[in-house]
Amino acid sequence: MEQHSDQFYALSEDALEKTEQVKRRDMLGLFMPLLRDAAMDELGEFEALRQHNKRIRQHTLDNLDYYLARFELEATNNGNQVHFADTGAELNSIVLDICQQHSARLVAKGKSMVTEETGLNDYLQRGGLDVVETDLGEYIIQLAGETPSHIVGPALHKSQSDIRDLFFDKHPLGERELEDIPALVSEARQMLRETFLKADVGIIGSNALIAETGYSMLVTNEGNGDLCANLPSILIVCTTLDRILPRGEDAAAVQRLLVRSATGQPQTCYTSFYSGPRREGDTDGPLETHFVLLDNKRSDILASDYKEMLQCIRCGACLNHCPIFTSVGGHSYGAVYTGPMGSVLTPLLSSLEEAEALPNACTSCGRCAEVCPSDIPLPDLLRDLRHEQSQQKITPRSWRGGLRLHAFLAARPTLYRFFVDLGVGVMARLGKKKGVFKRLPLASGWTQVRDFPAPQGDTFMKQYKARSRGDE
Amino acid sequence: MNHSTAPQVSLFVTCLADLMRPSVAFATIRLLEHAGCEVSVPVEQTCCGQPGYNSGEYESTIPVAKRTIELFEHAEYVVAPSGSCAGMIVHHYPKLLTGEWRERALALAEKTWELTSFLTDVVKLDTPPAHPTQLPPLTYHDSCAGLRELGIKEQPRQLLKSLCGVDVTEMQQSDVCCGFGGTFCAKMPDISAKMADDKLRNASATNAAILTGGDLGCLLNIAGRARREGLDIEVRHVAEILSGDLYGPAIGEREG
Ligand code: SF4
């Protein structure tokens, strides 16, 4: 996917002007947290499970070489072919090669953020293949020529009538109504069914790779992953190498947290484990299966202070709870990964300059970390990124200067007192009549959208000292 | 040597109360004294260093943190009328510092409290101050740092009930950020305004006459936006309300 993270400010302003979309996002921001909270209350062991999950992921990441080797061994023994890709481009070319070796023409894809990251669809299409996304949300945005706006609900930005118009426009079918959601779903299903049956290659992502068995786990609500995995004769699982976990139980723990955090469901409709190609006696399944494990800077992240970000299970809870994400929507982030998790990941995958705005699109409110089932300290990581931006002089000079001057004075009480007593005294007198300032030269960011309350009078310290002197 | 058995409280005024709204600090002193504490105010204090720290200016925040530690570490208790300043001392100073300074930061963290949690959890204040006032319906904004870093949720509500006899009229999403976020409000004003509008919409929907909370930063943001949009909800710090100080202008309001 093309990056537009450098345009966060402009994109978010546009997003705030689209009132219909704002309303829909407000509803999302209201209901998703309610659903998630209810599911967690019912689970009743969120904290314990989250700590368990965190320990496992940390352990695996600390011993990634071991678990990768084990996974490769087991998966190969099961008849899979395992490939490693350092970069997105490498993953794309490995996948295209496999498709070409089998003279494939049509690829059915299950939802995979990793292949969004590498821009696989475009690459395969340029290579002469037809690629059809089969997750309903992904299918919709593919038809619309758009990118996902949410890691779990890629088409959440579209209304029912947007989707209806889109289907009328893009589907070569005759008269029909499409008045309700079931009608829309059934039309999409009808179209997708043909893809499943005709596809030569199926491509899916993975929520977990299990080292002990060489299996991969995929969690879906639509079952499209299973159809992509079982109907075409070739299956390619594309994922990043940090998805690996030691045992099946660990994947089950992830699944329990993932589903509830993502949609508030106690369970998704499908949780599937894929072992490898069809064995003797099996009645169905792919004839040949591949794993393509992408690094794309994960090794760098693993070696950095941002290692904890690799614990992410892509549940999207941090997005749904982030008031900035729900205000401006995923497309404003200009990247595959959005919201708090994206604001950490995107700069690490692209650069601190290009994604300058993202770590700053945060009030440190902490709601993301509160709900994160992987216990990732997202606000701390975002602050650390701001620290690096400042050190590398990416932060505008006026900001750095202003904040350092403030800190300089704050560490020097006499000087500080002199300035604040002076400034506050003047402002209090000027602002007394109205109670607020409509405009302030040094606080234009503030007064652009709000009034600046006038100080009540002299500073507390000045009044307090005067009173204490009076007491004596 | 002090032989009094009264809790000795050092007041961390907070820079915003010092500069913008001294009545919050005076109300805090009254409440603490009403709860039987002896309050002192180290006059050399400035700011906890949050604006720079949250913007990633770690190096320049370190001297600020060290000064605050030196000024307050000999206190029995340190109390601040702000969850975010107390949270800064409790959680972030130890992260920022290393070695011996980290130890000192941790020791200070142990005895640092946000006002409402100090009143309920430490001194267990439950008698109303001298002048009980009949309060109009009010709604409470849970400021992020207080809520998530210090677990402040029930404390102010309980105090409003026991000291002022009023039940908080709860708004939807009372625990969602108001868009202040220190420098965030100036860096991304449009998004911040949207968040403040959401807060104001939720607050207005309760028909409460007063919006209150424990952090002046949020309250200045909310009040500033309310004034710009011409909304007439009063915004006041919870310390003012608890101490019965309801007579002066609310935040951002003119006198008279
Ligand atoms: S960072 Fe946490 S909350 Fe966000 S998507 Fe990842 S696991 Fe979920």
Side-chain angles (χ1 to χ4, degrees):
Chain A
M1 171 181 164
E2 259 182 73
Q3 292 282 326
H4 301 289
S5 312
D6 54 340
Q7 290 166 41
F8 179 81
Y9 293 96
L11 292 169
S12 58
E13 267 173 45
D14 290 350
L16 285 171
E17 271 161 25
K18 296 188 180 128
T19 44
E20 275 309 305
Q21 297 202 4
V22 169
K23 268 193 219 143
R24 260 207 317 285
R25 286 196 297 266
D26 283 348
M27 293 311 273
L28 184 81
L30 182 62
F31 287 115
M32 292 312 291
L34 291 177
L35 290 174
R36 179 258 168 210
D37 293 350
M40 286 309 170
D41 284 349
E42 203 167 299
L43 177 68
E45 49 170 355
F46 173 62
E47 197 48 47
L49 198 54
R50 157 206 242 195
Q51 292 309 326
H52 173 77
N53 187 38
K54 178 180 176 171
R55 275 196 301 277
I56 292 166
R57 287 197 83 86
Q58 285 183 342
H59 165 81
T60 321
L61 290 167
D62 288 342
N63 301 283
L64 195 60
D65 287 349
Y66 168 79
Y67 285 111
L68 273 176
R70 177 79 192 271
F71 176 81
E72 186 183 11
L73 177 74
E74 300 296 339
T76 312
N77 285 343
N78 296 342
N80 299 284
Q81 298 176 43
V82 181
H83 315 258
F84 292 91
D86 264 342
T87 62
E90 238 175 89
L91 176 139
N92 291 348
S93 87
I94 293 170
V95 173
L96 181 64
D97 273 356
I98 300 170
C99 294
Q100 284 172 341
Q101 277 162 27
H102 295 87
S103 313
R105 304 171 67 154
L106 177 62
V107 176
K109 273 188 72 203
K111 191 168 158 244
S112 148
M113 293 314 272
V114 170
T115 57
E116 291 285 347
E117 182 182 321
T118 68
L120 178 66
N121 287 8
D122 276 355
Y123 187 82
L124 293 181
Q125 279 159 352
R126 283 199 302 275
L129 286 152
D130 265 344
V131 184
V132 178
E133 291 288 348
T134 64
D135 170 272
L136 182 56
E138 287 279 339
Y139 174 71
I140 290 165
I141 58 166
Q142 189 185 28
L143 274 191
E146 294 176 12
T147 53
S149 63
H150 189 291
I151 56 170
V152 173
L156 273 175
H157 57 287
K158 293 216 163 289
S159 70
Q160 194 180 326
S161 70
D162 291 342
I163 296 167
R164 183 167 177 261
D165 294 347
L166 185 69
F167 283 6
F168 280 138
D169 187 34
K170 302 280 176 168
H171 288 164
L173 302 171
E175 284 288 301
R176 68 237 194 261
E177 296 283 330
L178 301 186
E179 276 311 320
D180 53 10
I181 294 174
L184 289 167
V185 173
S186 107
E187 171 153 325
R189 183 173 287 154
Q190 194 183 329
M191 305 300 292
L192 288 172
R193 221 164 251 169
E194 282 184 41
T195 305
F196 290 126
L197 292 170
K198 279 201 251 159
D200 311 293
V201 173
I203 297 179
I204 57 172
S206 170
N207 294 101
L209 301 170
I210 301 156
E212 137 186 280
T213 56
Y215 294 179
S216 69
M217 176 179 80
L218 184 67
V219 178
T220 67
N221 261 323
E222 297 164 25
N224 61 305
D226 288 349
L227 294 168
C228 288
N230 289 315
L231 294 178
S233 54
I234 315 294
L235 168 65
I236 309 175
V237 180
C238 296
T239 193
T240 46
L241 39 81
D242 52 298
R243 295 296 99 195
I244 216 148
L245 289 170
R247 306 159 303 175
E249 298 97 283
D250 306 326
V254 164
Q255 193 266 8
R256 298 175 69 198
L257 280 172
L258 171 68
V259 177
R260 290 174 175 87
S261 300
T263 56
Q265 293 167 284
Q267 213 24 281
T268 40
C269 300
Y270 302 89
T271 296
S272 306
F273 294 85
Y274 305 102
S275 56
R278 186 186 301 193
R279 289 161 300 196
E280 248 184 52
D282 285 352
T283 49
D284 54 14
L287 300 171
E288 187 179 307
T289 57
H290 299 260
F291 282 102
V292 189
L293 307 188
L294 175 68
D295 186 317
N296 196 21
K297 303 215 178 158
R298 268 65 176 189
S299 300
D300 298 344
I301 299 176
L302 186 58
S304 76
D305 292 337
Y306 301 95
K307 178 177 126 182
E308 283 161 293
M309 199 56 228
L310 298 180
Q311 287 162 215
C312 173
I313 60 173
R314 306 285 188 266
C315 69
C318 58
L319 280 61
N320 301 335
H321 286 75
C322 173
I324 290 145
F325 175 87
T326 53
S327 291
V328 302
H331 283 154
S332 299
Y333 292 76
V336 185
Y337 306 108
T338 62
M341 57 84 72
S343 294
V344 178
L345 259 186
T346 307
L348 299 176
L349 297 180
S350 58
S351 73
L352 281 170
E353 279 97 343
E354 196 182 321
E356 181 273 326
L358 301 189
N360 292 288
C362 165
T363 60
S364 302
C365 82
R367 217 171 164 222
C368 53
E370 183 177 45
V371 298
C372 175
S374 308
D375 201 21
I376 301 170
L378 293 155
D380 290 346
L381 299 184
L382 288 166
R383 193 185 307 105
D384 288 347
L385 287 167
R386 299 198 277 274
H387 178 225
E388 273 194 69
Q389 286 180 329
S390 170
Q391 282 187 314
Q392 295 180 27
K393 300 192 169 37
I394 295 164
T395 316
R397 192 155 35 152
S398 57
W399 273 107
R400 277 182 282 134
L403 290 164
R404 283 178 198 172
L405 175 66
H406 177 265
F408 177 84
L409 291 173
R412 287 164 184 77
T414 318
L415 217 54
Y416 177 87
R417 222 6 80 199
F418 173 76
F419 283 114
V420 299
D421 281 348
L422 193 75
V424 165
V426 172
M427 278 184 64
R429 272 188 295 285
L430 290 177
K432 203 163 189 149
K433 262 234 219 68
K434 292 236 164 72
V436 288
F437 295 92
K438 294 272 165 211
R439 209 162 286 139
L440 273 186
L442 284 174
S444 57
W446 178 287
T447 52
Q448 193 179 317
V449 297
R450 1 171 162 61
D451 292 352
F452 189 88
Q456 225 171 11
D458 280 333
T459 62
F460 166 80
M461 253 353 145
K462 195 166 174 188
Q463 297 185 37
Y464 178 79
K465 283 184 207 161
R467 285 189 199 189
S468 317
R469 271 197 299 275
D471 285 351
E472 276 161 20
Chain B
M1 195 79 190
N2 198 323
H3 296 288
S4 149
T5 52
Q8 304 290 308
V9 173
S10 255
L11 177 66
F12 189 81
V13 176
T14 82
C15 64
L16 288 180
D18 179 30
L19 270 52
M20 301 295 294
R21 208 156 165 89
S23 60
V24 172
F26 284 118
T28 302
I29 295 176
R30 272 200 303 284
L31 283 164
L32 290 168
E33 287 179 346
H34 176 68
C37 304
E38 273 177 26
V39 184
S40 62
V41 183
V43 292
E44 296 222 301
Q45 59 181 296
T46 55
C47 161
C48 67
Q50 242 182 116
Y53 174 72
N54 267 338
S55 297
E57 298 292 339
Y58 296 167
E59 290 77 7
S60 60
T61 310
I62 290 174
V64 183
K66 287 183 178 172
R67 266 214 63 87
T68 309
I69 294 172
E70 281 172 340
L71 263 180
F72 285 93
E73 65 189 340
H74 302 296
E76 185 183 353
Y77 295 106
V78 178
V79 174
S82 155
S84 73
C85 307
M88 177 76 187
I89 297 174
V90 171
H91 289 289
H92 299 289
Y93 282 7
K95 269 192 235 167
L96 198 55
L97 300 167
T98 52
E100 178 223 345
W101 277 103
R102 182 162 183 278
E103 295 308 314
R104 289 168 73 176
L106 287 168
L108 177 61
E110 281 286 305
K111 51 189 178 190
T112 299
W113 293 84
E114 178 275 344
L115 173 66
T116 61
S117 61
F118 181 76
L119 292 178
T120 53
D121 304 350
V122 182
V123 288
K124 309 200 190 311
L125 174 65
D126 54 8
T127 52
H131 310 287
T133 341
Q134 185 62 39
L135 284 171
L138 54 85
T139 193
Y140 196 90
H141 164 62
D142 291 292
S143 290
C144 303
L147 176 70
R148 302 199 177 84
E149 289 177 356
L150 303 172
I152 293 160
K153 177 91 193 175
E154 286 313 315
Q155 296 90 328
R157 289 169 171 79
Q158 188 188 318
L159 287 169
L160 285 162
K161 178 82 200 156
S162 62
L163 303 193
C164 309
V166 60
D167 281 311
V168 169
T169 313
E170 295 294 343
M171 66 173 125
Q172 230 174 23
Q173 300 191 304
S174 70
D175 62 344
V176 175
C177 179
C178 70
F180 174 60
T183 50
F184 173 83
C185 64
K187 279 186 189 160
M188 303 203 178
D190 294 315
I191 306 175
S192 170
K194 150 82 166 78
M195 292 161 68
D197 287 346
D198 291 347
K199 183 58 61 183
L200 283 162
R201 196 181 50 236
N202 284 325
S204 303
T206 65
N207 288 320
I210 300 180
L211 180 149
T212 185
D215 250 276
L216 208 38
C218 314
L219 300 178
L220 291 166
N221 175 47
I222 297 169
R225 182 65 185 171
R227 278 298 304 268
R228 176 63 56 94
E229 295 289 287
L231 301 171
D232 64 348
I233 188 160
E234 274 182 44
V235 181
R236 293 181 188 273
H237 193 281
V238 71
E240 300 174 282
I241 295 176
L242 293 173
S243 75
D245 176 9
L246 277 164
Y247 307 106
I251 299 172
E253 296 295 335
R254 63 175 75 92
E255 246 169 272

